[in-house]
Amino acid sequence: MTEPHDDQHDNEHEAAVSEADDRRASEAERIAEALVFASAQPVSEAFIAERVAKDIDVAAIMRKLKADYAMRGVNLVQIDGAWAFRTAADLSFVIRRDESEVRKLSRAALEVLAIIAYHQPVTRAEIEDIRGVQTSKGTLDVLMESGWVRFRGRRRTPGRPVTLGTTRDFLDHFGLEELRDLPGIEELKGAGLLSGRIPANFSIPSPLMSDELTEDEDPITQMDLEELGLLPPSGESSGD
């Protein structure tokens, strides 16, 4: 005779648990949304996970938020595994109308940037071999100052040349979620960036998908940074 009562109790308990889970998920969404909104840089899921309940599925929360913002003036986008709010692509012209014009890259800088993006990790000598001409330090400096190119490591070959790669800012600026989103041959042709008379055996390499050093790269050390002029020599004060 007590079974109906027990069933009702179980149903009420399940409903209470479900309601509590919904509240926690909703609160996690609000926290994630606030963290991404307040950050000047893309926010990683690990960073968000540290600030919400331990058993919250952060990836699922972010996918839901992404869907919620899909048709709005700002979109939640994933950039190299991290999340950021960006102006909807079809409204970017409204924003850019009031922005100061960004300095245009030279043809040489564009060529070098493309080679680094598709061939990374790549050394300066390898860039010059692909282009067939020398690459000026000024061209690399412009790409470094833009925040689109970085030193990755040093190649384990004679002379230990520095290897170059792209940054998260590069992906962000060009609206790429990850490097595999770089345009292929047909897209480059359609944009007029490749001649229709390219060799039949021409191919674009698949870019490296990981920031981890390859087997023939060593990490950049403090001494390397000093040698490259990125830090003052040890013992010297940088405040003088």
Side-chain angles (χ1 to χ4, degrees):
M1 297 295 292
T2 59
E3 288 185 3
H5 177 75
D6 290 343
D7 289 344
Q8 181 180 355
H9 182 270
D10 290 343
N11 290 339
E12 289 175 353
H13 177 71
E14 289 176 5
V17 170
S18 178
E19 184 178 349
D21 288 343
D22 288 344
R23 283 199 304 269
R24 291 167 65 254
S26 178
E27 183 66 9
E29 283 183 32
R30 295 180 66 240
I31 292 172
E33 185 178 31
L35 289 171
V36 177
F37 178 81
S39 177
Q41 300 295 326
V43 178
S44 70
E45 291 182 5
F47 181 84
I48 297 170
E50 292 174 357
R51 287 153 180 82
V52 298
K54 292 184 185 287
D55 56 347
I56 291 292
D57 186 344
V58 174
I61 290 291
M62 300 313 292
R63 288 195 298 270
K64 183 178 182 301
L65 281 173
K66 180 179 180 180
D68 290 345
Y69 276 91
M71 300 305 295
R72 304 178 107 174
V74 292
N75 298 152
L76 181 63
V77 299
Q78 193 169 19
I79 306 162
D80 194 25
W83 295 88
F85 283 115
R86 294 292 180 261
T87 304
D90 61 326
L91 297 179
S92 60
F93 73 95
V94 178
I95 306 301
R96 288 175 183 163
R97 201 178 276 170
D98 297 326
E99 289 181 348
S100 56
E101 185 176 353
V102 179
R103 180 175 57 168
K104 292 183 178 178
L105 292 179
S106 67
R107 183 177 182 83
L110 284 172
E111 288 178 355
V112 171
L113 180 60
I115 290 170
I116 293 173
Y118 284 99
H119 292 261
Q120 59 188 301
V122 63
T123 67
R124 181 172 172 176
E126 289 165 346
I127 293 171
E128 292 175 346
D129 185 52
I130 293 168
R131 293 185 67 217
V133 295
Q134 283 192 327
T135 298
S136 72
K137 182 178 181 296
T139 297
L140 287 174
D141 285 345
V142 166
L143 296 176
M144 290 284 186
E145 289 167 7
S146 72
W148 296 343
V149 168
R150 66 183 177 90
F151 294 126
R152 283 179 48 95
R154 304 203 79 156
R155 186 69 53 75
R156 293 176 182 173
T157 56
R160 300 185 65 246
V162 174
T163 56
L164 300 163
T166 53
T167 65
R168 178 178 288 170
D169 284 346
F170 165 80
L171 296 175
D172 193 4
H173 181 84
F174 289 97
L176 304 171
E177 183 174 315
E178 53 190 356
L179 285 173
R180 65 165 51 98
D181 295 327
L182 283 166
I185 290 180
E186 294 306 317
E187 291 171 288
L188 292 174
K189 282 182 182 177
L193 298 176
L194 281 180
S195 166
R197 298 189 299 272
I198 59 174
N201 62 347
F202 179 82
S203 64
I204 293 177
S206 297
L208 190 71
M209 289 295 111
S210 172
D211 283 340
E212 294 182 5
L213 297 175
T214 58
E215 291 183 358
D216 66 345
E217 284 180 289
D218 286 322
I220 294 281
T221 65
Q222 175 91 5
M223 187 177 299
D224 292 327
L225 292 176
E226 293 174 7
E227 180 185 325
L228 295 167
L230 300 179
L231 288 178
S234 300
E236 288 189 14
S237 171
S238 58
D240 295 340

